[in-house]
Amino acid sequence: METEDQTLVQDCLTENLDPAPIKDEYAPVIFSQETVSHIVSIDMMSGQQDLENILRARATGKGVLTSPFKLLKSNHLGVVLTFAVYNKDLPPDAIPEQRTEATVGYLGASYDVPSLVEKLLHQLASKQTIVVNVYDTTNASAPISMYGTDITDTGLLHVSSLDFGDPLRKHEMHCRFKQKPPLPWMAINASVGVLVITLLVGHIFHAAICRIAKVENDCREMMELKARAEAADVAKSQFLATVSHEIRTPMNGVLGMLKMLMDTDLDAIQRDYAETAHASGKDLISLINEVLDQAKIESGRLELEDVPFDLRNLLDSILSLSSDKSNDKGIESAVYVSDRVPEVVVGDPGRFRQIITNLVGNSIKFTQDKGHIFVSVHLVDEMKGTSDVGDKVLQQGLNLVQDMSSKTYNTLSGFPVVDRWRSWENFKMLNGKDAKDDPEKIRLLVTVEDTGVGIRLDAQDQIFTPFVQADSSTSRHYGGTGIGLSISKHLVELMHGEIGFASEPGVGSTFSFTGAFGKGEVSSLDSKWKQYDPVVSEFQGLGALIIDNRSIRAEVTKYHLRRLGISVDITSSLESACTYVSSIFTTSAFAHLAMILIDKDVWNQETVLQLRSLLEQHRKNCKLNVSTNLPKIFLLGTSMSPVERSKLKTSGFVDNVLMKPLRLSVLIACFQEALGRTKGKVRGKKMSTLGSLLREKRILVVDDNKVNRRVAEGALKKYGAIVTCVERGHDALNKLKPPHTFDACFMDLQMPEMDGFEATRQIRSAESEVNEKLASGEVSIEMYGNVSHWHIPILAMTADVIQATYEKCLKCGMDDYVSKPFEEEQLYLAVARFFESGL
Amino acid sequence: MDLAALKTQLKNFVQSMFEEGVLDNQFSQIQALQDSTNPNFVEEVITLFCNDAERIINEINRNLGYQNVDFSNLDSYVHQLKGSSSSIGANRLKLACANLRQASDERNKEGCLQALQLITCEYCLLRRKFQALLHLERSIVELETNQK
């Protein structure tokens, strides 16, 4: 077998070597690798190391390794591994002699440690310089350094063992960095960075969670507070409801009692006390109502009605109610409605009245002892943009003119007032900014002008704020709670209008508001509004002459007279009146002249006598019949004592004295009396009138209480009614099922089994059923007594006179209520509604 | 006693009842309702009232005797009595009823008992006075018929 002999690399080149001495044995290198070709033919046994190695290899049959020595060519430190090659397979337990016998050759490998290490290191190609030390550590205490420089301790040391295959020898490789490893800045920075980032992220999470927790907390708190606020609101409403019932019931009791007291015999002082108490009670009730209104408005529960009503009558009644107070103070009051405002409008008369009453009340309160309160109503259209204003009052109102000679202004009383247009200059409606211009709606502008103390400039902003007075001393001096204007503002806004004012301290205040109303038909008016129609026409075509130096005042009087169909001429002084009268003597105008109205301001006794004699003279001259009526002369005055009045009347200077503010009903009565017409009933004793209303009427009384029934029956029978009594609601139902012959029903509210409300509801539903059938022609009208529409007036009898009950009564179909026990006046008023209108 | 004196006595008696507040204006209205078509109106009404009132007071008494008082039932009785009292003009009795009403609203049994006491008291007084009044009236009527 041919083997390749890996042999040693000896110290030196072949040329320098001596030929081998004569020996027993030789171990020449026959074959070698290219790299160690210089050791060919060198006797391996010549080196001591090699010799030992060969011998051992031969003897053990294993690979053996020399200790490090310098190799031949390269002079590097190295080791040689020698294997013996045998010519036959030897058993493992063969003795060395046998092995020596069997040896045919040797196989050797040299390890050039430096180059080995460097080649290895080269492969590593590390960035840091590594110092490698290779040791032969066969002798542990004295390691032989095979490769590497001197040791510098740089800390980290990595020891790995090298196995060349010879178990006898141990080799180790020590690796260490040449330089001490620098601080690992990257790692430090990175870890610090990561740490910081983690901390930050952790902090963010923590903050977020804290914030969420806090917000949740706050939310919960808010929910609690909200629940408490809602509970408080509910409590407030309940309180108000309780208060309204609890306070108003006894208050009504008090008022009722006072009324009854005033009906009895009282001397003057007692009557005065009673009346004062009654007035205070009424004030208190209206105050409570105001506060409740405010609360209702705040909670948005106020609703407006939609009924047709007559504006002019309403204003008349408002002004006459407050006329006592204003006349006592010597203030003149007047109302004027423009011709262009229709007779009937559709809206909420009660609330409209409330607003105007509030404004007029304020005016009276804050006007001391001079001047006037003037309420005027115009259409918004009259004000819009047109340069020529048709209405005389408006014209004058827009141009305040001072008469230099008499130092008076062209206002109602002569005293200066604030420019009224300033009170509506901000209104959107008038500036044309109001987008929706509903042609179906009538927009009215109401102005209340007074010559009072005015409103302080710094208080003007707060004037519509509830519970705030212009001055802390206001409620002390003038009284009031400060809610009126706030309520009025809200009501105006509910009417789709605006409210504003202009005021100057020392001059006066003018409040204006607008409102939208529907168009109404004259025929749709409720009977209580249509009081004067049949009478109005009797004055048609008559003529009148007004003598008044204030043109606005004259216009107001003219307005009232025109409502009665009387045509009017105005002169401003008695002298010019005489001239005028003389001038029309021969015309037909004189024939129509039925009355001359003279204002107190121009009253002059002598001149009036002159006028009178002038008229008489004319009558004589025309040879007219003495019985031809001369024009009647009336005096118009504001505040006059009854004594003065009767004196004037009896003296014969005037036919009558008319007190301002003028009221249509008063005018009619006066004129009727003066002109000798006695048409129209005189409401004398109420009892006879009640009797005439109730005579022969069939009335059903429903009450579970025997005593009440008996008393009610007795009272009604006294007036001539035919009374039937029943005890239960059911019986009432049976009796009032159409067709029946009853004219009215008085129903107790609280009854067992079926109460008054339920009974009324059922009666009404039975009636509407029948009415429907009649209307659709399902049944013939003869079957139902020739009555096409069944609606029996049902009046509730109740001891509880509260607003809520009244509303409930109306809701289930009742027509009105009377108090129990019967009060004559109230009974009359209630019954008159149904029987007067010709039921 | 002669007729005029009797009539004066009756008038004074009724007047005293007014002054004491036992009766109010309503009673005079009832008196006014008595005329030739209704000769016994006042007596009728008084009798009706007394019977009714006694019945109700007994009922209320019974009601308050129970362990658990039915206040709503009580309330309706009081209401009836109040109504009758005000129809006949029995002023003090009516006010006493208001007391009982109040106590009943408060569900206050003690208060109710006290109020009932007052009512019974007032009613007894009223009945006594009514009896005297009716006696006077009957005497007057007797005298009048005798005179005819």
Side-chain angles (χ1 to χ4, degrees), chain A residues 225-274:
Chain A
L225 286 175
K226 178 176 146 202
R228 274 185 23 208
E230 280 173 356
D233 189 43
V234 167
K236 178 181 100 169
S237 302
Q238 282 180 344
F239 168 72
L240 279 173
T242 313
V243 161
S244 87
H245 179 99
E246 296 302 327
I247 290 190
R248 292 206 281 205
T249 314
M251 257 335 280
N252 280 321
V254 167
L255 286 179
M257 283 297 142
L258 284 170
K259 206 99 218 309
M260 281 171 51
L261 177 67
M262 292 197 282
D263 277 344
T264 62
D265 283 324
L266 299 170
D267 67 34
I269 300 178
Q270 289 171 327
R271 186 162 292 276
D272 185 40
Y273 288 166

Side-chain angles (χ1 to χ4, degrees), chain A residues 283-284 286-292 294 358 362 365-366 463 465-471 474-476 478-487:
Chain A
D283 279 346
L284 184 60
S286 72
L287 188 68
I288 295 173
N289 283 338
E290 267 193 353
V291 173
L292 288 172
Q294 177 72 10
N358 174 250
N362 280 348
K365 238 198 287 180
F366 291 100
I463 208 156
T465 317
F467 301 114
V468 172
Q469 299 271 26
D471 195 315
T474 305
S475 78
R476 228 185 323 121
Y478 300 108
T481 49
I483 320 179
L485 278 175
S486 148
I487 294 179

Side-chain angles (χ1 to χ4, degrees), chain A residues 257 260 263-264 704-708 710-711 714-718 748 750 752 799 820-824, chain B residues 24-26 29-30 32-33 38 41 44-45 48-49 52 79-84 86-88 94 101:
Chain A
M257 283 297 142
M260 281 171 51
D263 277 344
T264 62
D704 62 321
N705 188 309
K706 248 183 290 207
V707 178
N708 291 346
R710 198 72 189 78
V711 170
L716 289 170
K717 274 197 177 148
K718 185 168 86 158
D748 181 31
Q750 257 125 328
K820 188 159 68 159
F822 289 154
E823 214 215 316
E824 206 179 288
Chain B
D24 63 24
N25 200 22
Q26 179 61 16
Q29 305 255 15
I30 292 188
L33 289 178
N38 243 331
F41 188 62
E44 242 186 275
V45 174
L48 264 178
F49 169 73
D52 197 48
H79 178 77
Q80 284 198 21
L81 186 59
K82 185 155 169 265
S84 314
S86 80
S87 281
I88 200 176
K94 181 175 73 173
R101 193 102 189 252

Side-chain angles (χ1 to χ4, degrees), chain A residues 566-636:
Chain A
I566 304 173
S567 60
V568 178
D569 280 311
I570 303 179
T571 60
S572 58
S573 70
L574 275 172
E575 289 79 22
S576 49
C578 291
T579 329
Y580 170 78
V581 166
S582 320
S583 67
I584 61 165
F585 269 155
T586 49
T587 64
S588 62
F590 185 72
H592 288 290
L593 190 67
M595 55 187 89
I596 300 177
L597 295 103
I598 309 177
D599 192 275
K600 189 155 178 262
D601 274 354
V602 296
W603 178 261
N604 180 316
Q605 212 158 301
E606 284 97 45
T607 330
V608 171
L609 271 176
Q610 238 183 345
L611 186 63
R612 263 225 128 88
S613 55
L614 193 67
L615 291 165
E616 301 240 334
Q617 195 70 22
H618 176 77
R619 188 163 64 180
K620 278 209 199 98
N621 290 351
C622 296
K623 296 190 182 60
L624 289 171
N625 203 327
V626 178
S627 62
T628 316
N629 285 324
L630 283 178
K632 304 287 175 209
I633 300 188
F634 295 103
L635 179 65
L636 302 170

Side-chain angles (χ1 to χ4, degrees), chain A residues 426-445:
Chain A
N426 288 327
F427 283 8
K428 290 201 206 81
M429 230 188 243
L430 285 156
N431 294 341
K433 288 195 203 133
D434 193 10
K436 36 182 201 108
D437 229 358
D438 193 353
E440 284 307 304
K441 291 279 183 198
I442 301 170
R443 276 183 300 281
L444 297 176
L445 173 71

Side-chain angles (χ1 to χ4, degrees), chain A residues 271-328:
Chain A
R271 186 162 292 276
D272 185 40
Y273 288 166
E275 276 170 8
T276 314
H278 188 79
S280 302
K282 285 227 296 260
D283 279 346
L284 184 60
I285 288 243
S286 72
L287 188 68
I288 295 173
N289 283 338
E290 267 193 353
V291 173
L292 288 172
D293 267 350
Q294 177 72 10
K296 248 198 254 181
I297 285 175
E298 269 176 16
S299 63
R301 279 183 288 133
L302 202 69
E303 276 173 5
L304 291 182
E305 276 191 314
D306 242 343
V307 294
F309 65 98
D310 184 337
L311 247 170
R312 294 169 173 83
N313 281 343
L314 183 73
L315 287 167
D316 271 354
S317 77
I318 296 173
L319 237 73
S320 70
L321 275 175
S322 48
S323 63
D324 288 335
K325 280 182 260 180
S326 59
N327 284 349
D328 282 343

Side-chain angles (χ1 to χ4, degrees), chain A residues 77-145:
Chain A
L77 222 54
V79 291
V80 174
L81 182 69
T82 311
F83 284 95
V85 179
Y86 301 113
N87 59 359
K88 60 176 183 204
D89 271 327
L90 290 172
D93 56 348
I95 53 176
E97 286 75 28
Q98 280 180 315
R99 289 186 189 270
T100 311
E101 267 308 314
T103 307
V104 288
Y106 309 99
L107 201 58
S110 68
Y111 292 94
D112 186 341
V113 171
S115 71
L116 195 67
V117 171
E118 265 148 42
K119 284 222 169 52
L120 283 172
L121 287 184
H122 186 68
Q123 281 183 4
L124 284 177
S126 74
K127 295 209 174 72
Q128 281 269 13
T129 323
I130 299 179
V131 174
V132 179
N133 286 60
V134 184
Y135 298 103
D136 181 333
T137 50
T138 317
N139 194 346
S141 54
I144 308 168
S145 172

Side-chain angles (χ1 to χ4, degrees), chain A residues 298-521:
Chain A
E298 269 176 16
S299 63
R301 279 183 288 133
L302 202 69
E303 276 173 5
L304 291 182
E305 276 191 314
D306 242 343
V307 294
F309 65 98
D310 184 337
L311 247 170
R312 294 169 173 83
N313 281 343
L314 183 73
L315 287 167
D316 271 354
S317 77
I318 296 173
L319 237 73
S320 70
L321 275 175
S322 48
S323 63
D324 288 335
K325 280 182 260 180
S326 59
N327 284 349
D328 282 343
K329 280 185 162 183
I331 306 169
E332 193 164 341
S333 52
V335 64
Y336 177 84
V337 180
S338 150
D339 287 335
R340 289 183 58 189
V341 174
E343 209 179 309
V344 177
V345 293
V346 175
D348 189 333
R351 296 297 178 183
F352 185 64
R353 181 198 205 100
Q354 197 176 349
I355 301 171
I356 298 185
T357 308
N358 174 250
L359 293 175
V360 169
N362 280 348
S363 292
I364 293 179
K365 238 198 287 180
F366 291 100
T367 307
Q368 293 308 15
D369 52 4
K370 60 172 175 73
H372 65 267
I373 296 171
F374 184 36
V375 181
S376 55
V377 181
H378 297 272
L379 283 184
V380 164
D381 289 333
E382 287 179 62
M383 230 71 67
K384 259 194 187 164
T386 46
S387 51
D388 58 333
V389 175
D391 190 89
K392 285 228 179 62
V393 167
L394 195 54
Q395 255 177 357
Q396 305 246 347
L398 290 174
N399 298 312
L400 197 62
V401 166
Q402 187 179 22
D403 183 352
M404 280 305 143
S405 58
S406 60
K407 291 276 188 353
T408 57
Y409 293 80
N410 64 336
T411 60
L412 191 73
S413 62
F415 286 97
V417 290
V418 185
D419 285 329
R420 55 169 57 196
W421 57 266
R422 272 173 41 206
S423 63
W424 66 65
E425 63 183 345
N426 288 327
F427 283 8
K428 290 201 206 81
M429 230 188 243
L430 285 156
N431 294 341
K433 288 195 203 133
D434 193 10
K436 36 182 201 108
D437 229 358
D438 193 353
E440 284 307 304
K441 291 279 183 198
I442 301 170
R443 276 183 300 281
L444 297 176
L445 173 71
V446 181
T447 312
V448 176
E449 168 190 278
D450 72 55
T451 56
V453 293
I455 308 169
R456 269 183 24 225
L457 290 166
D458 52 356
Q460 288 193 5
D461 287 327
Q462 297 227 325
I463 208 156
F464 290 113
T465 317
F467 301 114
V468 172
Q469 299 271 26
D471 195 315
S472 57
S473 63
T474 305
S475 78
R476 228 185 323 121
H477 284 150
Y478 300 108
T481 49
I483 320 179
L485 278 175
S486 148
I487 294 179
S488 301
K489 179 161 188 257
H490 276 114
L491 290 173
V492 164
E493 279 165 9
L494 280 174
M495 292 184 192
H496 307 292
E498 297 158 279
I499 186 167
F501 71 99
S503 175
E504 237 175 275
V507 175
S509 315
T510 300
F511 277 79
S512 297
F513 70 93
T514 55
F517 296 88
K519 296 194 178 142
E521 297 299 312

